[in-house]
């Protein structure tokens, strides 16, 4: 079913083969973003800031002008771009290590300034690229290569809920958490992403879509098991939904 | 320049950043010391990291001028320190006191905190203008600066001072340029001009009294 | 018309005149006046001033802004520059032009806020990771700093490199009369056929410092090295003062060179002819000319407001042809002309 939705190659993808593992959601989210860019007709004025993480090659996969930021700094890079060229559409694509650990200061302040950019935040509760270490979003008890006995709140603190936290900032215009495990929620995710870009196009300020995402490889789960764990464990701790919507006030 | 005629015990220099307040405050203290027994110089510049009155502390204290600045090593810090002594010297009737306040709105804000001490004393506040400094080169800019700074210092300005100069290269035309602008500002804001400043060795006479300035804050070379 | 400017303010105004309309920065003494000046000045010329949340964010905002091909700058002082190093390396790797001002203060660590020159290694030898170089300019007067700003932006654009103006707290804080060049049209800067401006009139462009294929990355590195070589061949700048038939040559830059000029006059009265060799580009360092001069004297004395950092480059330049004594004070203590004169005499065995 998912295959059917994403079968046609969006124009805003370059056609380079994805580097993602089977069952990884990075690829699905890429397609959704590309479809949205196509539908809004903004490919020629979109600038992408890719992160350091599994999606480091995002700048190659999208057929738009793009760059790679230092680990965690995409919101600052995007700020510089947007301030230099306010009429372009600037978006960052960031993992949870990138956004919720090393780059917390940058995302908090970009949101707080109401920076007119869009952030797509891939929360897979793990450091994918570097081989499955604990992320600030890893669940309690989750085994990773740096929490071999499971994540322990005493030693490692608690999984951080970024959407909730960022939604407390008056500068955040729109924040929603979605997942892409079923055709229904894929459609919802796409609608959310589209809304986020539309908000930027209207100049209404900072928008962020958090996508709960699988990492079968580092979770040590088959794609089907991974999808199940995501829906049953992750989504329980990270409830889906719209966390803030200030579009009315901003308009 | 005869400051004793001004019917004041406390002389306050405010103005834009880099307008020459510190040099003027030092010169004023030295001038006062010629005829008064007790003179104090208050360094309440919380803005500038270098080139402050406190850097001349030893030289001035040799002349018998009391310099009040943050103690010891703290005088090299970029901390906004106002010592408790400051209020004391403002109130002390034995002393003629000169206050060197930091530049711009930010520097003048300090005066607000000293209001309880300043309100009851006889004082004159001088607004120093160097019309060859950035953001001070036109009538409009100077008017805006005077308004903003007197607001943030919550203090009435009694006199304007023309300190238009480009340091060692200053010539007569430079000072005259400042006189022109400041005369206009004076008329518009109805604040009298106390004097024009001319550095030692510059033969200048103009519309206003002239205060000959000796340079104390020297470069190392 | 000459005006009276603080070094920090003058550098800011000169940057505006060079067509820079984008400034990102974070306050730090002794250069906050530069940041404050920009916050007042840039809105007057439809520019963008943004106080970033940190120097880490600052340098990355510069990265983003520079990607669009526009002129961008920041200013900071030592600890802030340290914090920027990751971004500096990324920008160097992505061949993004930008101008940094480092108004150096006493270190290491929090140090103090007094003038120093102890960031020489950081500026000229790296600081960030990887085989990159930055052009480093060292003005010794405020007028020179103003005059070097246009050059800084032009060199950055021409070579797609980072340029650092290495000043010290003294230059940043003192006031001098200055004259500014004419305002340059910010749109009248070299065209950048690599800039990210939206893939409307070009195929999608990518600006990165990245290639996981070592042979490809090596190619990128060789390209950087070729650029650096060109800069070394064409952009060396220095000043010689009183060096002809000098009894001794003193090498100094920035504020220290100012002080040495006073020493020269003092020495003259004692019958010693002191020559000053003043590198203006600290990278590329004027090794060649210094080597030639070393034939003419027995002693090449290095004087720094640090403990022998530039000395290493002086030794490379002199290459054994003369003695290379050293005198320096650091941590915010500035050597006086008399102390330098004593060092001169000591070096000459007087
Ligand atoms: C300064 C710095 N520290 C560490 C790294 C190594 N590193 C690369 S990606 C990464 C974590 C990536 O995790 P995440 O952001 O969650 O992305 P994912 O791979 O899971 O999509 C780390 C630690 C780096 N590139 N730079
Ligand atoms: S390691 Fe995980 S996050 Fe990275 S591509 Fe593979 S499945 Fe996706
Ligand atoms: Mg991750």
């Amino acid at each position: 079913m998912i295959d059917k939705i994403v079968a046609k190659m969006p124009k805003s993808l370059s056609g380079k083969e994805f580097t993602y593992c089977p069952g990884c959601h990075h690829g699905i989210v890429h397609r959704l973003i590309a479809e949205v860019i196509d539908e809004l007709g903004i490919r020629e004025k979109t600038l992408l800031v890719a992160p350091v993480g599994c999606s480091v090659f995002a700048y190659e996969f999208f057929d738009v002008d793009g760059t790679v930021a230092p680990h965690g700094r995409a919101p600052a890079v995007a700020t510089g771009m947007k301030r230099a060229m306010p009429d372009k559409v600037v978006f960052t694509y960031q993992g949870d290590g990138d956004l919720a650990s090393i780059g917390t200061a940058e995302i908090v302040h970009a949101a707080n300034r109401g920076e007119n950019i869009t952030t797509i935040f891939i929360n897979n509760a793990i450091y994918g690229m570097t081989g499955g270490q604990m992320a600030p979003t890893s669940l309690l008890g989750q085994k990773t290569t740096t929490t071999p006995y499971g994540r322990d709140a005493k030693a490692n603190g608690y999984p951080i809920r970024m959407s909730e936290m960022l939604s407390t900032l008056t500068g955040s215009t729109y924040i929603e958490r979605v997942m892409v495990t079923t055709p229904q929620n894929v459609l919802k995710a796409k609608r959310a992403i589209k809304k986020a870009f539309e908000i930027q196009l209207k100049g209404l300020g900072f928008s962020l879509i958090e996508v709960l995402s699988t990492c079968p490889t580092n979770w040590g789960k088959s794609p089907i098991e991974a999808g199940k764990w995501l829906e049953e464990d992750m989504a329980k701790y990270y409830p889906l939904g719209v966390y803030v919507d200030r579009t009315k006030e901003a308009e | 320049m005869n400051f004793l005629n001004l019917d004041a015990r406390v002389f306050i220099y405010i103005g834009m950043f880099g307008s020459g307040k510190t040099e003027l405050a030092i010169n004023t203290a030295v001038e006062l010391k010629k005829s008064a027994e007790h003179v104090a110089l208050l360094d309440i510049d919380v803005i500038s990291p270098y080139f402050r009155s406190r850097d001349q502390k030893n030289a001035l204290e040799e002349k018998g001028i009391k310099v009040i600045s943050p103690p010891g090593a703290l005088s090299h810090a970029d901390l906004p320190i106002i010592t408790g002594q400051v209020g004391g010297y403002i109130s002390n009737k034995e002393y003629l006191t000169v206050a060197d306040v930091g530049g711009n709105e930010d520097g003048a804000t300090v005066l607000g905190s000293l209001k309880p001490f300043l309100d009851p004393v006889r004082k004159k506040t001088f607004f120093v203008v160097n019309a060859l400094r950035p953001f001070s080169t036109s009538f409009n800019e100077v008017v805006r600066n005077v308004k903003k700074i007197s607001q943030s210092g919550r203090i009435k300005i009694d006199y304007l001072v023309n300190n238009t100069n480009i340091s060692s290269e200053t010539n007569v035309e430079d000072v005259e340029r400042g006189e022109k602008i400041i005369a206009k500002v004076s008329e518009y804001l109805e604040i009298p001009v106390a004097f024009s400043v001319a550095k030692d060795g510059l033969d200048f006479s103009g519309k206003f009294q002239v205060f000959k300035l000796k340079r104390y804050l020297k470069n190392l070379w | 018309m000459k005006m009276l400017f603080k070094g920090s303010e003058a550098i800011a105004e000169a940057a505006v005149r060079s067509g820079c309309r984008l400034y990102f920065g974070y306050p730090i003494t002794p250069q906050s006046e530069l940041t404050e000046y920009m916050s007042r000045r840039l809105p007057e010329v439809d520019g963008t001033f943004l106080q970033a949340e940190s120097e880490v964010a600052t340098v990355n905002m510069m990265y983003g802004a520079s990607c669009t091909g526009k002129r961008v700058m920041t200013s900071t002082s030592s600890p802030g520059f340290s914090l920027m190093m990751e971004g500096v390396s990324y920008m160097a790797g992505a061949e993004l032009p930008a101008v940094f001002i480092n108004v150096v203060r006493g270190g290491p660590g929090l140090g103090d806020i007094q003038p120093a020159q102890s960031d020489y290694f950081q500026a000229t030898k790296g600081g960030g990771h990887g085989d990159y170089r930055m052009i480093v300019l060292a003005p010794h007067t405020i007028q020179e700093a103003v005059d070097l700003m246009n050059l800084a932006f032009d060199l950055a654009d021409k070579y797609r490199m980072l340029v650092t103006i290495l000043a010290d707290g003294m230059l940043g804080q003192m006031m001098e009369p200055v004259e500014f060049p004419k305002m340059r049209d910010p749109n009248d800067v070299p065209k950048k056929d690599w800039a990210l401006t939206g893939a409307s009139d070009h195929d999608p462009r990518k600006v990165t410092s990245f290639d996981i294929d070592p042979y490809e990355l090596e190619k990128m590195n060789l390209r950087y090295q070729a650029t650096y070589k060109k800069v070394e061949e064409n952009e060396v700048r220095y000043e010689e003062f009183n060096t002809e038939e000098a009894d001794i040559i003193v090498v100094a830059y920035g504020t220290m060179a100012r002080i040495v000029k006073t020493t020269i006059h003092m020495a003259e009265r004692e019958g010693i002819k002191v020559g000053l060799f003043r590198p203006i580009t600290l990278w590329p360092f004027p090794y060649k000319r210094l080597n030639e001069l070393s034939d003419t004297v027995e002693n090449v004395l290095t004087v720094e407001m640090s403990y022998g950092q530039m000395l290493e480059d002086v030794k490379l330049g002199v290459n054994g042809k003369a003695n290379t004594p050293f005198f320096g004070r650091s941590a915010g203590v500035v050597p006086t002309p008399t102390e330098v004169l004593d060092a001169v005499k000591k070096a000459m065995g007087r």
Side-chain angles (χ1 to χ4, degrees), chain A residues 43-44 47 56-57 59 62-68 70 73 76-77 79-81 83-85 88 105-106 109 113, chain C residues 22 50 53 56-57 60-61 63-65 68 70 86 90 196-200 202 204-208 210 212:
Chain A
R43 188 192 70 85
E44 298 189 343
L47 308 182
V56 64
F57 284 116
Y59 74 95
F62 286 90
D63 209 30
V64 300
D65 278 6
T67 188
V68 183
R73 316 298 171 212
V77 171
T79 297
M81 279 181 169
R83 296 285 178 128
M85 302 207 132
K88 305 295 170 196
E106 284 74 19
H109 288 279
R113 284 191 301 267
Chain C
L22 289 156
L50 182 59
E53 63 269 28
V56 176
N60 286 290
M61 288 173 183
Y63 180 114
T68 70
K70 299 201 171 158
E86 180 196 36
Y90 272 71
L196 306 184
T197 55
S200 56
H202 55 254
R205 291 174 179 159
K206 315 292 174 184
V207 171
T208 74
F210 174 59
I212 42 166

Side-chain angles (χ1 to χ4, degrees), chain B residues 1-8 11 31-32 34-36 96:
Chain B
M1 181 65 213
N2 192 345
F3 290 93
L4 297 176
N5 285 350
L6 293 179
D7 182 36
F11 304 85
E31 185 68 24
L32 289 170
K34 286 181 190 161
S35 41
L96 290 182

Side-chain angles (χ1 to χ4, degrees), chain A residues 19-26 54 124 126 128-129 214-218:
Chain A
T19 42
Y20 304 113
C21 311
C24 173
H25 286 174
H26 270 305
C54 276
N124 58 9
I126 200 90
M129 184 191 216
T214 50
C215 177
T217 305
N218 286 303

